[in-house]
Structure formats: structure tokens, C-alpha cells
């Protein structure tokens, strides 16, 4: 090959790179947050051609047209279920104190589910006991069991649940299992074969394939963890169906809410909508939404969120709750990568005299995410926010408490992925007694944590600071 041809190819390559940079500079900021735009443009500047390829694959947090059309039908199913729940004489619709009313109204407008009274709610933080209680409830099921999990592993914990599902099916109980296709990819085929051979219905959420027209995007996942037994018992929280120590030497610490009462029907509606999205099967029989007397006195409502919804619900709720706080905010999350709105809300809360505490895991199961998270510590500390770093394993629990009144527990992390890319579910609880129970759980976590000081944090090495700052630049893409 002559030198002239080589020179022409080199010039052409440079022109292509700069053309990509200019086009991305025009296109990327449209309908995208400043942080996300900054991350994409940063990557594009250094590696324009790979950045363009990745952008075309995952550049916008939207599902394909066929799924958006199907979700319109799913939203109608959710609306029908909400109407059925709302008109039940057994579902209490409490008159809210002024302290609760704005949050409850926001949650309903974001996710369409109303606040319901008459619930009994317990917090489960012992990993193995949570699994054992779930298995016990499945063993007692009479009509149906619905499980939705981001990770469902074929290990000791998974086998316990699988065996319980098989026994339930043998008794004539309808059992359905929905797992995220990527979150459970290592075990999905084995689990599906074991369960379907025994009569359990299994579906994968958002499968990613290269040869099928209806392949999902790899970055948009169903991250929910929900279980419903006979439409009367529900589980929701951070815990997947996998051994606590799935990574050697790293024990997961979780929090799950065990629910009995009308709000379980809202969890049922979310499962039914997700099941329809993946299978086309409609679960709208009255037996899935029975009218029963309440089991307790706690008020609660469910907030589903994700790219299917027109408004990013989880992030808006968290920001709104922070702005509503008057005394204290405690946030527990394994992944803390806030957007600009959340950072400003936290800083403003401190300026208003609100005590803000972050309980974060010292260790992370993702190196880049861990670096990006730690890049925010300096800003948080300078704002007057207290950071506790949990040291007894990976604190994977996700919960928020505001003014010892409102509690949020579910699958939602405090990061851009949970706010914009993942399908999540959070239970919002309005009860002072339950808040005291959650406060005790938070105190226990703080006791196993070390408070991070500004002086200690300033002593980290320069290369570490550089790595964290680089990770922060791409954090909106994580």
C-alpha cells in the first residue's frame, strides 16, 4: 500500500472522528440531563467511534416501540386493578394527617396507586430467616404464588425456593416466576428447566438476543424483588433469591418488608403488569384481587417506577421527600451516585437545619461504581452531611426514613440507574411505630459502621483522587 493511500486513510479516519464528535455535541444534550450529557461527551472525546456504537445501542433510556405499545395495555391493567382495589369495601382509604398528605399524593400521581390502610408490616433483616419465612409461606399457599426477582440463583437458597414451588404446584397451586434475563443469566436456563418440568410457569424479563427482533437493551433491567402468596401476603425489599455470601468473603446485608393487607394487591398488580409485558398473558381474574378485611392498622402504598413510565418516579420521590424533611433524613443504599437535583436537595436540607445521614457500604461489588460513589464523599462532607461506612459485609439494603414518620423500603438504589434505567418498586410506609423499628435497624447498621471524617478523607492518595474523579465523569452512564 502506497504512502499516499495510507495518508488518505489517516486523514479520513481523523475526519470521521471529528465528525462524530461534532454530531454528538449537537445531539447528546437534547432531552438529557447535564450529567448524562457530560458523561457521553467525555467518552466521545477520547474514543468517538466506540462511543457512537455504544450510544446507538443504549443511548436513550427508552424501550422499543412494540414494548411501549404493550405497556399502554399494561397501564390499563394497572388502572383496572387500582379501580378494583379502590372500590373494595375492605380497603381502608385513610384521611391523612397533613404531614403525610403531600407525599401520598405525589406517589399516587407518579405510580397511580392510592394509599391504603389496614396493613400489617414487619421488617426482616436476617438473611436466612427471610428465606425460611418465604419458603414457609409458599408451603402454606392455597391458590397462587407469584415471584419476581432480579437474581434467582441455582444455589442452596435458590434450591430451597424451587423445592417449595414444586411442592406447591403438586398441591394444585398456580406458581409463576419472573426473573430478569441478565440478572439471572447464569442460572436462568437451569432454573427454567427444573421448574417448568414440574408445572411452574417461568418467564424471563427483558431478554437480550442479537438475532431476535424483540430483543431488549442490555442496560434496561427489571430490578424489582417482589413475592405474592394468595394475594394476602407480600414481600418487597432488596434481597434476591441467592446465597447471602454469593461472592467469597462478601456477605450481603439486606432488608425486606413482610406485608399482609390490602397493599399486597398493589404488589400483585405490578407483577401482573410485568407478567403481561413478557408473556402477553393477562392475570385479571377476581381470584388474584380478592376483597378481604385488613390485617392491621398501617398505612402504605406502592410506587412502581422505570423507563416504561412517562415520569421518572423514584428519583422525584426521593428529592421531594428530602425537601419535605424538617428534622432528620437517613438514607441507606449500597450505591450512591446522585444526580444534580438530588445533590442540591441534600445540600439545601442541611442549610435548612435538617440532619442528613448517609449509611453506605465500605466495600462495593463493582470497582467503577465504587470509585464513582466515593467521588461524591468530599462534596457531601463539606455540605455538612454525615457519612457512615458500613464494614460488616456488603450493605445491600435500600431504605429511607424522613422525620421518623415516612419510610421507603424496596429495590431502588440512590443512583441514576435506579432512577432512570431500571424497573423498580418501593413501598412507602406512613407509621410512627414502623419508623421506630426502621430507626432501630439503622442504628444497628451505624453501630457496625465508621463515621467518615473530612480530615481522613482528605488524606487519600492523589492517584486515588484522580481515579475517583474520572469515574465521576462517566457516572451518569453507569
Amino acid at each position: 500500500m502506497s504512502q499516499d493511500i495510507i495518508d488518505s486513510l489517516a486523514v479520513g479516519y481523523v475526519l470521521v472522528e471529528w465528525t462524530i464528535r461534532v454530531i454528538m455535541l449537537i445531539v447528546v444534550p437534547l432531552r438529557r440531563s447535564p450529567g448524562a450529557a457530560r458523561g457521553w461527551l467525555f467518552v466521545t472525546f477520547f474514543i468517538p467511534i466506540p462511543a457512537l456504537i455504544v450510544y446507538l445501542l443504549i443511548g436513550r433510556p427508552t424501550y422499543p416501540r412494540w414494548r411501549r405499545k404493550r405497556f399502554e395495555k399494561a397501564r390499563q391493567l394497572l388502572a383496572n386493578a387500582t379501580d378494583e382495589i379502590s372500590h373494595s369495601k375492605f380497603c381502608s382509604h385513610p384521611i391523612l394527617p397533613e404531614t403525610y398528605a403531600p407525599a401520598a399524593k405525589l406517589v399516587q400521581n407518579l405510580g397511580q396507586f392510592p394509599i391504603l390502610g389496614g396493613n400489617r408490616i414487619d421488617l426482616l433483616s436476617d438473611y436466612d430467616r427471610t428465606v425460611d419465612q418465604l419458603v414457609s409461606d409458599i408451603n402454606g399457599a392455597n391458590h397462587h404464588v407469584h415471584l419476581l426477582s432480579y437474581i434467582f440463583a441455582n444455589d442452596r437458597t435458590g434450591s430451597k425456593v424451587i423445592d417449595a414451588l414444586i411442592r406447591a404446584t403438586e398441591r394444585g397451586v398456580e406458581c409463576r416466576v419472573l426473573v430478569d434475563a441478565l440478572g439471572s443469566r447464569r442460572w436462568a436456563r437451569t432454573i427454567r428447566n427444573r421448574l417448568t418440568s414440574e408445572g411452574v410457569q417461568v418467564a424471563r424479563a427483558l431478554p437480550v438476543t442479537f438475532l431476535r427482533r424483540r430483543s431488549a437493551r442490555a442496560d434496561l433491567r427489571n430490578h424489582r424483588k417482589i413475592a405474592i402468596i394468595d394475594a394476602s401476603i407480600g414481600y418487597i425489599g432488596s434481597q434476591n433469591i441467592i446465597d447471602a455470601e454469593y461472592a467469597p468473603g462478601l456477605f450481603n446485608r439486606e432488608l425486606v418488608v413482610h406485608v399482609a393487607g390490602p397493599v399486597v394487591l398493589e404488589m400483585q398488580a405490578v407483577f401482573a403488569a410485568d407478567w403481561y409485558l413478557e408473556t402477553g398473558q393477562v392475570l385479571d381474574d377476581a381470584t388474584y384481587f380478592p376483597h378481604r378485611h385488613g390485617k392491621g392498622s398501617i398505612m402504605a402504598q406502592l410506587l412502581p417506577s422505570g423507563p416504561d413510565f412517562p415520569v421518572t418516579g423514584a428519583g422525584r420521590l426521593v428529592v421531594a421527600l428530602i425537601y419535605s424533611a424538617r428534622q432528620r433524613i437517613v438514607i441507606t443504599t449500597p450505591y450512591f451516585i446522585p444526580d444534580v437535583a438530588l445533590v442540591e436537595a441534600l445540600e439545601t436540607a442541611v442549610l435548612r437545619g435538617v440532619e442528613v445521614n448517609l449509611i453506605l457500604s465500605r466495600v462495593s461489588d463493582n470497582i467503577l461504581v465504587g470509585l464513582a460513589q466515593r467521588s461524591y464523599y468530599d462534596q457531601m462532607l463539606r455540605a455538612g452531611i454525615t457519612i457512615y461506612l458500613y464494614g460488616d459485609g456488603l450493605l445491600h439494603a435500600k431504605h429511607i426514613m424522613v422525620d421518623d414518620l415516612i419510610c421507603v423500603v424496596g429495590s431502588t438504589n440512590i443512583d441514576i440507574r435506579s432512577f432512570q434505567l431500571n424497573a423498580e418498586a418501593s413501598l412507602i410506609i406512613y407509621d410512627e411505630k414502623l419508623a421506630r423499628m426502621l430507626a432501630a435497624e439503622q442504628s444497628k447498621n451505624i453501630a457496625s459502621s465508621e463515621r467518615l471524617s473530612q480530615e481522613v478523607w482528605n488524606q487519600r492518595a492523589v492517584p486515588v483522587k484522580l481515579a475517583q474523579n474520572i469515574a465521576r465523569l462517566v457516572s451518569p452512564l453507569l
Side-chain angles (χ1 to χ4, degrees):
M1 184 179 295
S2 68
Q3 186 62 42
D4 289 342
I5 295 176
I6 294 175
D7 291 343
S8 297
L9 290 175
V11 171
Y13 183 81
V14 171
L15 287 174
V16 168
E17 285 198 327
W18 277 104
T19 300
I20 292 173
R21 290 186 179 108
V22 172
I23 292 174
M24 292 285 273
L25 182 62
I26 297 171
V27 173
V28 166
L30 297 176
R31 301 177 61 185
R32 187 171 279 101
S33 69
R38 183 178 64 247
W40 279 111
L41 294 176
F42 174 78
V43 174
T44 300
F45 180 83
F46 287 100
I47 48 173
I49 294 176
L52 176 63
I53 295 172
V54 174
Y55 180 82
L56 293 174
L57 291 173
I58 65 170
R60 289 186 179 274
T62 57
Y63 289 118
R65 182 177 299 176
W66 71 266
R67 184 179 174 91
R68 294 199 300 270
K69 291 179 66 175
R70 181 172 283 190
F71 184 69
E72 290 304 313
K73 175 66 179 297
R75 289 195 72 179
Q76 186 58 49
L77 294 176
L78 287 170
N80 293 342
T82 302
D83 187 65
E84 183 73 16
I85 294 167
S86 299
H87 286 87
S88 171
K89 65 179 181 180
F90 299 117
C91 288
S92 167
H93 300 280
I95 299 175
L96 290 176
E98 186 60 32
T99 51
Y100 296 152
K105 184 66 174 178
L106 175 63
V107 172
Q108 183 168 351
N109 286 337
L110 291 172
Q112 83 182 50
F113 289 129
I115 187 170
L116 299 173
N119 301 288
R120 186 178 71 241
I121 297 177
D122 297 303
L123 301 180
L124 307 176
S125 59
D126 185 293
Y127 199 105
D128 290 332
R129 287 184 181 178
T130 299
V131 175
D132 291 342
Q133 185 161 347
L134 174 61
V135 168
S136 177
D137 285 335
I138 295 173
N139 288 338
N142 295 311
H143 184 264
H144 65 269
V145 176
H146 292 157
L147 294 183
L148 167 56
S149 185
Y150 177 67
I151 298 176
F152 196 139
N154 186 32
D155 56 10
R156 180 181 60 85
T157 296
S159 294
K160 284 184 179 181
V161 178
I162 289 171
D163 292 343
L165 290 167
I166 293 173
R167 290 193 298 269
T169 303
E170 291 172 347
R171 299 195 308 272
V173 176
E174 297 178 16
C175 294
R176 296 178 178 87
V177 174
L178 180 61
V179 300
D180 184 81
L182 285 189
S184 302
R185 66 188 180 278
R186 287 175 53 190
W187 312 277
R189 179 173 296 181
T190 302
I191 289 171
R192 182 171 56 185
N193 291 341
R194 285 184 64 183
L195 289 174
T196 55
S197 65
E198 300 292 340
V200 178
Q201 299 181 57
V202 181
R204 295 186 305 153
L206 301 165
V208 179
T209 58
F210 294 103
L211 301 177
R212 291 177 57 185
R213 182 174 64 87
R214 291 194 168 184
S215 174
R217 277 176 38 177
D219 61 327
L220 303 182
R221 310 315 314 155
N222 192 323
H223 193 242
R224 295 169 179 147
K225 293 101 174 164
I226 297 174
I228 304 104
I229 294 91
D230 291 342
S232 62
I233 297 173
Y235 291 77
I236 183 171
S238 62
Q239 187 166 330
N240 292 290
I241 302 175
I242 190 172
D243 287 347
E245 197 174 357
Y246 68 86
L250 193 62
F251 193 97
N252 274 30
R253 305 293 182 179
E254 311 282 358
L255 187 71
V256 174
V257 173
H258 181 268
V259 187
V263 80
V264 175
L265 300 182
E266 296 183 350
M267 298 164 61
Q268 181 84 292
V270 170
F271 178 89
D274 282 353
W275 187 260
Y276 169 75
L277 283 171
E278 304 304 336
T279 69
Q281 181 184 2
V282 177
L283 304 177
D284 61 355
D285 190 271
T287 55
Y288 299 121
F289 299 94
H291 295 186
R292 296 192 179 109
H293 286 286
K295 301 291 185 179
S297 60
I298 296 177
M299 299 178 291
Q301 65 187 138
L302 188 70
L303 175 64
S305 61
D308 280 316
F309 291 84
V311 177
T312 54
R316 287 180 186 252
L317 173 64
V318 173
V319 170
L321 288 176
I322 292 170
Y323 276 116
S324 73
R326 295 294 175 265
Q327 298 172 342
R328 189 165 74 108
I329 302 165
V330 183
I331 298 175
T332 301
T333 180
Y335 312 116
F336 179 77
I337 303 180
D339 57 12
V340 174
L342 181 56
V343 169
E344 291 180 349
L346 291 168
E347 292 175 339
T348 302
V350 175
L351 292 172
R352 296 197 324 270
V354 177
E355 176 189 339
V356 180
N357 299 300
L358 299 177
I359 307 175
L360 310 174
S361 186
R362 178 181 294 278
V363 298
S364 176
D365 56 357
N366 184 301
I367 294 175
L368 187 58
V369 171
L371 287 170
Q373 170 172 301
R374 290 188 283 275
S375 73
Y376 289 91
Y377 290 177
D378 185 69
Q379 186 176 1
M380 296 294 101
L381 291 170
R382 290 182 184 278
I385 294 168
T386 302
I387 299 176
Y388 294 100
L389 297 180
Y390 184 86
D392 188 18
L394 173 62
L395 185 59
H396 192 251
K398 313 150 199 301
H399 46 86
I400 301 171
M401 187 171 64
V402 178
D403 290 342
D404 298 328
L405 293 172
I406 300 177
C407 307
V408 181
V409 183
S411 62
T412 305
N413 297 307
I414 307 301
D415 64 3
I416 298 169
R417 170 161 294 280
S418 277
F419 289 174
Q420 297 183 4
L421 301 179
N422 288 341
E424 306 282 6
S426 300
L427 189 68
I428 297 84
I429 306 164
Y430 309 85
D431 186 80
E432 292 185 42
K433 181 178 179 181
L434 198 285
R436 288 194 294 271
M437 294 170 59
L438 184 58
E441 179 67 22
Q442 292 167 338
S443 296
K444 185 173 66 174
N445 290 334
I446 289 174
S448 298
S449 303
E450 178 183 354
R451 180 171 176 173
L452 183 63
S453 69
Q454 184 73 65
E455 293 74 21
V456 170
W457 191 241
N458 288 341
Q459 294 173 9
R460 66 197 193 282
V462 172
V464 173
K465 294 179 182 179
L466 179 61
Q468 291 168 353
N469 290 336
I470 292 174
R472 179 168 180 163
L473 287 173
V474 298
S475 64
L477 313 183
L478 298 178

